[in-house]
Amino acid sequence: MSDDRSANADVLENTPGEGRTPEAERIEPAAPESFGLVQVWWGDGKGKTTATLGMGMRAAGHGYRVHLLQFMKGGASSVEAVRGEYNAIAALPGMSYENLGHYGWHGMADGSDEADHEAEAEAGLERASELLAAADEADLSAPIDLDADPEEGVHLLVLDEVLYAVDQGLLAEDDVLGLLDAKPDDLELVLSGSHAEPTYLEDRADLITNVRKVKHPIDAGQRARRGTEY
């Protein structure tokens, strides 16, 4: 019997909250203890942006300052001029977003002006550099006001579709490597996009995830759906 009690104690010791379900707490400004990694999310499967947004939401829930910078975002004609994630981010303390590229995909007949994509990708690169410089000036070991502008520093920065911009020749691989060179030690930097493997990041990233498509309803004619794709 004592062995059973000991085994149960070991289980509880290794279970968060000793097996109790955590309760939601009020979000207050806080600082992460061990941020500073570089994450890469790529692949031909659905869910790269979804995963990074979920991570951003989790960080914001702990009171960390999070910012999402999208280099481009679009989709099929079935995508309406609204993004559920934008509405959710606007209602979430500590998380903000901006989109500096065309609201459409480069290389697709989506009505956007292809000639402007490169200039807007360059603007995204410049903006990312500004945000990294601001984070370098900030004290990332301390809490940041949840309503603060991202120019005052962020703990987690997501550069959504920046790798897709490289794929399309709008940015160079060295542009992305330059961003990594400028990253403050305590900033968690997340890069997403790209159906092609970003091998140039293998030696620079701490986490690389390949989001692989096994099956997708679009192949059977399913159009983008409100609440899942946008």
Side-chain angles (χ1 to χ4, degrees):
M1 183 65 70
S2 59
D3 290 341
D4 291 340
R5 283 197 298 270
S6 176
N8 289 336
D10 289 341
V11 169
L12 290 176
E13 183 178 350
N14 292 307
T15 302
E18 296 185 343
R20 295 187 297 272
T21 302
E23 296 182 0
E25 300 177 354
R26 180 182 175 85
I27 298 176
E28 300 288 353
E33 296 179 358
S34 57
F35 271 18
L37 302 185
V38 174
Q39 301 189 26
V40 171
W41 295 74
W42 74 280
D44 64 353
K46 165 182 165 57
K48 298 179 287 296
T49 298
T50 304
T52 59
L53 284 172
M55 185 162 39
M57 182 192 72
R58 176 178 289 161
H62 285 292
Y64 309 153
R65 187 67 179 87
V66 179
H67 190 66
L68 166 72
L69 174 62
Q70 291 188 316
F71 279 71
M72 57 187 73
K73 205 70 184 176
S77 59
S78 59
V79 175
E80 301 171 36
V82 63
R83 285 277 172 180
E85 56 264 40
Y86 293 172
N87 298 339
I89 289 172
L92 180 63
M95 192 168 181
S96 53
Y97 76 91
E98 58 188 303
N99 184 317
L100 292 189
H102 267 349
Y103 201 79
W105 293 114
H106 175 265
M108 291 182 65
D110 57 9
S112 59
D113 186 349
E114 301 294 342
D116 289 340
H117 276 288
E118 184 173 353
E120 292 177 345
E122 289 288 346
L125 180 66
E126 182 177 349
R127 177 60 172 159
S129 296
E130 292 174 355
L131 293 171
L132 289 169
D136 194 37
E137 291 291 328
D139 181 4
L140 300 186
S141 66
I144 298 173
D145 190 87
L146 300 179
D147 295 324
D149 291 333
E151 289 83 0
E152 296 182 37
V154 296
H155 297 114
L156 189 153
L157 177 62
V158 179
L159 302 182
D160 189 40
E161 308 298 358
V162 64
L163 303 181
Y164 182 78
V166 174
D167 270 3
Q168 295 297 305
L170 302 173
L171 297 176
E173 294 177 0
D174 284 344
D175 291 330
V176 176
L177 293 173
L179 294 176
L180 300 191
D181 291 336
K183 186 190 82 67
D185 290 340
D186 293 334
L187 174 72
E188 192 85 2
L189 183 62
V190 183
L191 315 175
S192 73
S194 180
H195 284 195
E197 184 175 4
T199 54
Y200 59 97
L201 294 173
E202 284 183 357
D203 295 332
R204 300 294 302 275
D206 300 285
L207 178 150
I208 300 177
T209 298
N210 179 0
V211 182
R212 185 171 65 90
K213 183 182 80 169
V214 175
K215 186 176 182 180
H216 197 302
I218 194 174
D219 297 330
Q222 174 68 56
R223 306 303 300 277
R225 296 173 296 154
R226 178 190 283 251
T228 57
E229 279 72 52
Y230 65 92

